Amino acid sequence: LEEAYGDALVKLAAKYPDDICEAHNLILGEFNKLQFKEDNEAFVKAVEPIYKRLPINSFEDKHFCIVFPQLRSDLVTEGRSLSHCVGTSNYYANHMKGTRMIFFVRKVSKRNKPFFTMEVDMKEHRIMQLYGYGNRTAPRDVRQFAELFVKALCPKKKKKKR
């Protein structure tokens, strides 16, 4: 069968990769970079000094890692891939102000594949939202990892002695 249909199978495999969702997300990401070119430039300019002030710039354990959005289009791609609203303008604006920031929780084995999205209130030092595909609630292990990240991201300030 493979001998008779070899070329057709090769073409089919090229057209339909093993992980169609992953291929879709890669193409969507590139499309969004082009569509949001001006917003991406503004985003980079705004978040660069914010990211420099943060006490950490990476975080991971054996299973999960945190990805910091680098472009406005990253938020759009995340929202479209996970079928939730993180790509809308209010999340983008708040992230650029550094008040309510968005971070992506990913599996270490699939750092480029959207998994869960987290919104952190940077003044209250707490997770506002933590959702996966279709606003699915995070399982316990993902929530625990996210909470550890927020503790590292927002360390409590020592009180001054009088």
Side-chain angles (χ1 to χ4, degrees):
L1 182 67
E2 193 170 322
E3 204 172 297
Y5 296 103
D7 289 342
L9 290 173
V10 169
K11 287 179 184 176
L12 189 62
K15 189 174 181 180
Y16 300 104
D18 288 341
D19 190 342
I20 194 80
C21 291
E22 192 170 330
H24 170 266
N25 290 340
L26 290 172
I27 292 167
L28 181 62
E30 292 305 310
F31 174 78
N32 288 335
K33 282 179 189 175
L34 295 172
Q35 186 179 10
F36 293 95
K37 190 173 190 244
E38 288 179 21
D39 286 348
N40 284 340
E41 291 168 6
F43 187 87
V44 169
K45 205 180 260 190
V47 300
E48 190 175 295
I50 294 169
Y51 286 175
K52 283 182 180 177
R53 288 193 307 266
L54 295 177
I56 59 173
N57 59 12
S58 67
F59 191 81
E60 71 179 72
D61 68 9
K62 201 166 37 172
H63 304 286
F64 306 114
C65 63
I66 297 293
V67 172
F68 288 55
Q70 300 301 310
L71 301 169
R72 156 71 163 129
S73 58
D74 292 345
L75 298 174
V76 174
T77 301
E78 183 88 353
R80 289 179 181 167
S81 296
L82 293 179
S83 193
H84 61 47
C85 61
V86 77
T88 59
S89 60
N90 59 324
Y91 292 102
Y92 158 70
N94 287 335
H95 189 87
M96 287 179 32
K97 291 180 207 167
T99 55
R100 287 183 154 186
M101 297 186 73
I102 302 298
F103 300 97
F104 307 144
V105 180
R106 304 280 169 82
K107 291 181 179 178
V108 169
S109 60
K110 297 179 179 182
R111 292 175 186 267
N112 295 322
K113 184 176 182 180
F115 184 52
F116 279 86
T117 310
M118 172 174 38
E119 180 184 22
V120 177
D121 183 321
M122 298 301 288
K123 292 181 183 177
E124 297 292 322
H125 303 179
R126 66 185 181 95
I127 297 170
M128 302 297 297
Q129 300 183 67
L130 179 58
Y131 293 119
Y133 183 81
N135 289 323
R136 189 177 114 220
T137 326
R140 179 178 293 171
D141 58 343
V142 172
R143 174 145 303 266
Q144 288 173 339
F145 173 78
E147 288 171 356
L148 288 173
F149 167 69
V150 172
K151 284 181 184 177
L153 183 67
C154 307
K156 299 207 188 267
K157 294 180 182 177
K158 295 179 181 178
K159 293 182 180 179
K160 293 179 184 178
K161 292 183 180 180
R162 290 184 184 209

